[in-house]
Amino acid sequence: SQQGEEDPQALSIQEGENATMNCSYKTSINNLQWYRQNSGRGLVHLILIRSNEREKHSGRLRVTLDTSKKSSSLLITASRAADTASYFCATDGGQAGTALIFGKGTTLSVSS
Amino acid sequence: GAVVSQHPSWVICKSGTSVKIECRSLDFQATTMFWYRQFPKQSLMLMATSNEGSKATYEQGVEKDKFLINHASLTLSTLTVTSAHPEDSSFYICSARDRTRWNEKLFFGSGTQLSVL
C-alpha cells in the first residue's frame, strides 16, 4: 500500500537552482521522513520531522510539515549535480510494529 | 550508528529455483523487520512484516507461500523467494526497528537485486 502522491513526478533543474518536492499522505502519522535513492542503490535517510514539528532544516535541506493538510515539502537549495536521484517521502505511524509507507517519489535531475 | 546488513546484494538465478535473502541487524535487536519490493522506476512497496518468533504478516496481494519469511532471532530475518520466475525479478530491501528506539527512524539494508532468467 502507498500513502499518496508526490509532486512533481519528475523535476529537471540547473545547478544552483532550488528544487521543491511535495508529498501528500492519507492517514495520521507520528513522523514523516524523506529518503534519497540513487539509481539502483539503497536508500539514504535525509531527514525526519515529527508530527508536532512544522519545519526542520539540515544543511541545504528544508522540510515542512502541515498535518492539517496532510502534506510535506522538501526543499533542496543551491542544488548540485550530485543531488540527482529519486526522492521519497515515507510516513511512520509510530508504533513498534508498523512499517514506513512510501510515496511514489520524485525523480530529480540536476544538470551542470 | 545502527546498521542493517542485507545479502546478497545481487543474485541471478534460473527460473524455478529458490533464493534466500538475509537481513541482519548488527548492533541492535529488532523485534520487527519489514520487507519491501521495488520495481524499476517505481516506489518501495511493503510486502510483509516479519515478527520475531511468530508468523509474518503479508500485505494484500503478496503470496505467503511464494515469499517465505522467517524471523527466528531478534537480529535475523530471511526472505525466501520460492520457485522464482522472471516476474519476481526486482529490488528487495529490508528494514528494521530498534526495539529500544521504536519511535525513531527505521534502518534499511542496502537491498538485493534479484534477476531471474
Side-chain angles (χ1 to χ4, degrees):
Chain A
S1 60
Q2 285 187 294
Q3 271 281 21
E5 299 288 330
E6 262 146 296
D7 162 44
Q9 291 186 0
L11 180 61
S12 294
I13 58 174
Q14 298 283 322
E15 263 192 331
E17 294 181 337
N18 296 341
T20 299
M21 289 159 261
N22 302 297
C23 163
S24 62
Y25 58 92
K26 298 175 182 174
T27 62
S28 61
I29 63 171
N30 176 273
N31 66 67
L32 184 144
Q33 303 175 36
W34 284 89
Y35 287 83
R36 184 182 73 211
Q37 185 182 38
N38 288 72
S39 180
R41 306 288 291 275
L43 296 172
V44 175
H45 183 265
L46 296 178
I47 198 164
L48 180 155
I49 185 166
R50 299 193 185 282
S51 60
N52 61 353
E53 298 175 309
R54 291 296 168 259
E55 188 171 310
K56 205 162 184 178
H57 297 255
S58 176
R60 293 185 295 114
L61 306 179
R62 172 178 169 255
V63 168
T64 63
L65 178 64
D66 187 334
T67 53
S68 66
K69 296 181 179 178
K70 289 186 165 59
S71 67
S72 174
S73 69
L74 169 67
L75 168 67
I76 304 174
T77 60
S79 61
R80 306 165 182 168
D83 295 328
T84 295
S86 292
Y87 292 82
F88 298 95
C89 69
T91 54
D92 189 346
Q95 296 180 25
T98 59
L100 286 184
I101 303 300
F102 285 81
K104 293 184 178 180
T106 294
T107 300
L108 174 66
S109 177
V110 182
S111 53
S112 54
Chain B
V3 174
V4 172
S5 173
Q6 181 177 345
H7 75 270
S9 56
W10 60 270
V11 58
I12 302 172
C13 70
K14 292 182 179 179
S15 187
T17 60
S18 294
V19 174
K20 180 185 283 188
I21 303 169
E22 288 191 353
C23 181
R24 204 177 286 272
S25 56
L26 296 185
D27 54 0
F28 66 94
Q29 293 183 330
T31 312
T32 307
M33 292 186 176
F34 308 97
W35 288 95
Y36 294 84
R37 179 170 54 185
Q38 184 181 33
F39 291 109
K41 300 190 186 302
Q42 294 188 25
S43 185
L44 284 78
M45 295 294 292
L46 179 66
M47 297 176 66
T49 300
S50 171
N51 304 296
E52 187 267 336
S54 65
K55 292 182 179 179
T57 304
Y58 291 83
E59 295 297 301
Q60 191 173 10
V62 178
E63 299 174 59
K64 62 181 181 181
D65 293 332
K66 180 166 187 62
F67 298 99
L68 300 179
I69 291 173
N70 184 279
H71 193 156
S73 77
L74 286 171
T75 59
L76 175 64
S77 176
T78 60
L79 168 68
T80 301
V81 183
T82 62
S83 187
H85 290 283
E87 58 265 29
D88 299 322
S89 298
S90 187
F91 187 66
Y92 294 85
I93 191 165
C94 68
S95 69
R97 280 193 190 271
D98 182 336
R99 69 173 186 166
T100 65
R101 295 182 290 167
W102 58 267
N103 198 30
E104 301 297 323
K105 67 178 184 178
L106 273 70
F107 301 97
F108 283 84
S110 55
T112 298
Q113 182 64 53
L114 171 63
S115 296
V116 185
L117 304 177

